[in-house]
């Protein structure tokens, strides 16, 4: 793209790489990217460490919203995009650039997320998508790279990948055949569950106001906590996802992910939230979470509805404080224990033992009232069936 922009527009190009924590897979990667940019003619290169901001303003809100798109995908790529776009716009403005260009195709979600955010933050800038304009497919792009002596990083030759602190997405090649199991070479982070340790490992996560603050009783900042949990999760092969996904533009695609830390944290958070909320809050929260997740997935990070939903989500999360114990074993994540000073569980009420303080005789009044209308309607349904 860098070469093409110079050739096609005679443009001076400044390159930008966002550090969203993807380097924990390979710490040399940022240096390589920078060297490659200068070698190919970039007039300036930025690598910006956005890890703290990513965790605080993008990952934590996703955890509080139990953000699983279509019940499966923890939005790891999706929530990184608006942050990248905002930072790109900042750099473009600072450098007096008149356009921002990004490497998204016209088929995916990332283009939607990046374009919408860029234009919302800087309507005066143009947002270019060379990959649409140049009309090359992935195969032609690889030929173009070869012709111009552009090195392709190892992990992108076969698959298209995106990585950050919250997860790794892998697409293309054989993965485009949903009827075939994703091969082991498409995974880079996690141990295959069948090769994971034969002993389970327990992790204890402390939450304060819906946000993870400690791992195994050790207080940690968000970035370190996610990093440490990531390592444990990878070892036990958890967080592998194979998902038939409905993209924003309506295409159905098979998506594969490795999101160990994200899956553990969302599962633990959801459990604790359910423990401290009423059944009415829990029921409505599911609806709010789903809408929030769809906005985030569909790139509408700037929509005011997201702020309004977050006001509700944050209100609920004020009491999501306590701890959750999670068991990791051969690809499985199970919540096995939890506690909170705000829990609505009362042993004296819930117990089946004789000394329960719950008055079972209340059932005599509750059940007839609770069932009254449904029972009436059931009789009427029978009457209608007879009539027809
Ligand atoms: N389907 C995912 C999403 O929309 C992942 C996109 C991943 N991008 C990539 N270049 N592999 O968030």
């Amino acid at each position: 793209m860098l070469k093409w922009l110079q050739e096609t527009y005679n443009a001076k190009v400044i390159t930008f790489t966002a550090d969203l924590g993807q380097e924990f897979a390979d710490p040399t990667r940022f240096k390589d990217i920078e060297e490659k940019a200068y070698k190919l003619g970039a007039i300036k290169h930025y690598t910006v460490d956005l890890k703290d901001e990513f965790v605080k303003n993008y990952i934590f809100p996703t955890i509080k919203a139990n953000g699983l798109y279509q019940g499966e995908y923890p939005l790891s790529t999706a929530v990184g995009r608006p942050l990248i776009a905002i930072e790109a716009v900042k750099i473009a403005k600072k450098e007096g650039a008149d356009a921002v260009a990004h490497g998204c195709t016209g088929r995916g979600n990332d283009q939607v997320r990046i374009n919408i955010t860029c234009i919302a933050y800087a309507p005066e800038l143009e947002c270019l998508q060379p990959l649409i304009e140049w009309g090359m497919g992935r195969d032609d792009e690889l030929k173009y790279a070869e012709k111009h002596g552009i090195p392709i990083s190892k992990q992108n030759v076969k698959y298209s990948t995106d990585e950050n602190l919250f997860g790794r997405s892998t697409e293309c090649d054989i993965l485009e055949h949903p009827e075939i199991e994703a091969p082991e070479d498409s995974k880079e982070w996690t141990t295959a569950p069948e090769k994971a340790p034969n002993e389970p490992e327990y992790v204890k996560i402390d939450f304060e106001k819906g946000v993870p603050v400690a791992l195994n009783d050790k207080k940690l900042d968000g970035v370190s906590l996610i990093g440490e949990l990531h390592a444990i999760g990878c070892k036990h092969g958890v967080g592998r996802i194979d998902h038939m996904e409905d993209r924003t533009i309506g295409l159905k695609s098979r998506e594969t992910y490795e999101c160990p830390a994200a899956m553990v944290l969302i599962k633990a958070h959801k459990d604790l939230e359910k423990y401290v909320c009423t059944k009415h809050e829990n029921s409505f929260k599911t609806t709010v979470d789903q809408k929030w997740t769809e906005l985030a997935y569909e790139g509408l990070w700037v929509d005011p509805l997201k702020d309004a939903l977050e006001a509700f989500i944050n209100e609920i999360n004020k009491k999501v404080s306590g701890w959750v114990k999670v068991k990791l074993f051969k690809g499985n994540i199970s919540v096995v224990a939890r506690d909170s000073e705000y829990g609505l569980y009362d042993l004296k009420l819930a117990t089946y033992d004789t000394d329960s303080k719950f008055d079972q005789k209340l059932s005599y009044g509750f059940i007839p009232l609770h069932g009254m209308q449904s029972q009436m309607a059931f009789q009427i349904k029978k009457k209608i069936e007879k009539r027809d």
Side-chain angles (χ1 to χ4, degrees):
M1 191 170 80
L2 171 51
K3 195 98 220 148
W4 188 87
L5 285 168
Q6 296 172 85
E7 274 182 350
T8 313
Y9 294 110
N10 199 16
K12 288 198 193 107
V13 186
I14 296 160
T15 49
F16 156 55
T17 301
D19 174 1
L20 300 186
Q22 64 272 43
E23 101 282 16
F24 64 35
D26 176 5
T28 61
R29 202 180 289 172
F30 292 127
K31 204 79 224 107
D32 293 349
I33 292 171
E34 178 168 354
E35 277 168 18
K36 181 171 160 182
Y38 283 122
K39 212 177 116 215
L40 295 170
I43 58 161
K44 199 165 179 181
H45 177 81
Y46 284 82
T47 300
V48 187
D49 180 355
L50 297 169
K51 291 192 286 288
D52 281 323
E53 203 188 336
F54 183 44
V55 168
K56 202 165 141 256
N57 297 328
Y58 297 80
I59 291 182
F60 283 173
T62 307
I63 294 171
K64 288 196 218 173
N66 303 306
L68 292 179
Y69 180 64
Q70 299 191 313
E72 310 247 11
Y73 161 48
L75 299 171
S76 45
T77 291
V79 295
R81 299 313 189 190
L83 174 57
I84 295 172
I86 292 166
E87 192 63 26
V89 162
K90 266 193 215 157
I91 294 171
K93 284 186 170 174
K94 188 174 131 208
E95 295 286 348
D98 36 36
V100 176
H102 60 84
C104 298
T105 70
R107 294 190 179 85
N109 296 312
D110 294 332
Q111 51 166 350
V112 178
R113 299 165 184 152
I114 292 179
N115 283 28
I116 291 175
T117 314
C118 273
I119 302 304
Y121 274 77
E124 71 281 10
L125 282 179
E126 222 185 310
C127 193
L128 301 173
Q129 262 175 280
L131 271 72
I132 296 183
E133 281 179 60
W134 68 35
M136 293 189 271
R138 229 179 124 67
D139 33 2
D140 287 339
E141 288 165 13
L142 289 169
K143 279 185 212 141
Y144 181 88
E146 206 182 322
K147 189 172 136 215
H148 290 83
I150 303 167
I152 309 279
S153 61
K154 180 175 99 300
Q155 83 270 16
N156 277 324
V157 174
K158 193 160 178 188
Y159 304 111
S160 161
T161 60
D162 177 64
E163 294 174 357
N164 64 42
L165 272 177
F166 216 41
R168 175 173 192 270
S169 313
T170 317
E171 301 173 310
C172 300
D173 203 74
I174 194 75
L175 301 174
E176 289 175 350
H177 299 265
E179 73 282 8
I180 298 170
E181 183 178 355
E184 208 43 41
D185 76 348
S186 65
K187 315 286 178 198
E188 284 215 348
W189 286 0
T190 50
T191 306
E194 55 273 27
K195 295 203 176 125
N198 291 325
E199 290 301 314
E201 184 164 347
Y202 292 88
V203 287
K204 183 181 169 222
I205 303 158
D206 278 77
F207 287 88
E208 260 167 39
K209 296 189 187 160
V211 161
V213 292
L215 185 65
N216 295 330
D217 294 318
K218 186 165 72 169
K219 283 242 171 231
L220 289 170
D221 65 273
V223 175
S224 316
L225 190 146
I226 291 172
E228 291 194 15
L229 185 57
H230 170 85
I232 302 172
C234 286
K235 182 167 122 201
H236 291 276
V238 306
R240 289 186 169 194
I241 301 158
D242 188 307
H243 183 214
M244 276 318 297
E245 193 166 295
D246 288 302
R247 287 193 191 154
T248 307
I249 57 169
L251 282 176
K252 217 174 256 304
S253 74
R254 190 271 197 95
E255 302 282 334
T256 66
Y257 304 99
E258 293 171 271
C259 305
M263 294 309 282
V264 172
L265 288 170
I266 291 176
K267 217 163 170 179
H269 172 269
K270 179 144 197 181
D271 183 277
L272 189 63
E273 187 180 82
K274 276 176 77 186
Y275 185 61
V276 299
C277 286
T278 66
K279 72 172 181 176
H280 309 290
E281 287 178 305
N282 282 327
S283 158
F284 194 63
K285 179 77 172 23
T286 309
T287 308
V288 172
D289 287 349
Q290 189 180 332
K291 191 69 204 171
W292 186 94
T293 299
E294 282 170 10
L295 290 177
Y297 183 84
E298 294 182 356
L300 298 173
W301 196 257
V302 294
D303 195 285
L305 177 60
K306 192 176 82 60
D307 302 333
L309 297 176
E310 278 177 4
F312 173 81
I313 290 169
N314 288 332
E315 179 63 27
I316 289 281
N317 272 281
K318 279 184 186 165
K319 57 191 172 197
V320 185
S321 299
W323 60 261
V324 180
K325 202 184 262 178
V326 184
K327 183 177 177 174
L328 307 178
F329 184 55
K330 292 202 180 284
N332 285 310
I333 303 169
S334 346
V335 173
V336 293
R338 77 288 288 152
D339 200 10
S340 167
E341 59 177 310
Y342 310 117
L344 292 176
Y345 175 80
D346 183 340
L347 177 63
K348 280 267 172 253
L349 286 173
T351 182
Y352 286 101
D353 290 352
T354 328
D355 74 339
S356 167
K357 68 180 183 194
F358 183 76
D359 178 3
Q360 293 196 60
K361 294 205 179 65
L362 290 173
S363 294
Y364 291 138
F366 173 72
I367 296 173
L369 285 177
H370 182 63
M372 185 172 65
Q373 209 175 50
S374 303
Q375 288 164 336
M376 280 166 70
F378 188 70
Q379 300 309 327
I380 288 175
K381 189 171 93 183
K382 282 206 277 192
K383 198 160 119 188
I384 293 171
E385 277 166 7
K386 229 192 230 152
R387 183 200 65 195
D388 300 333

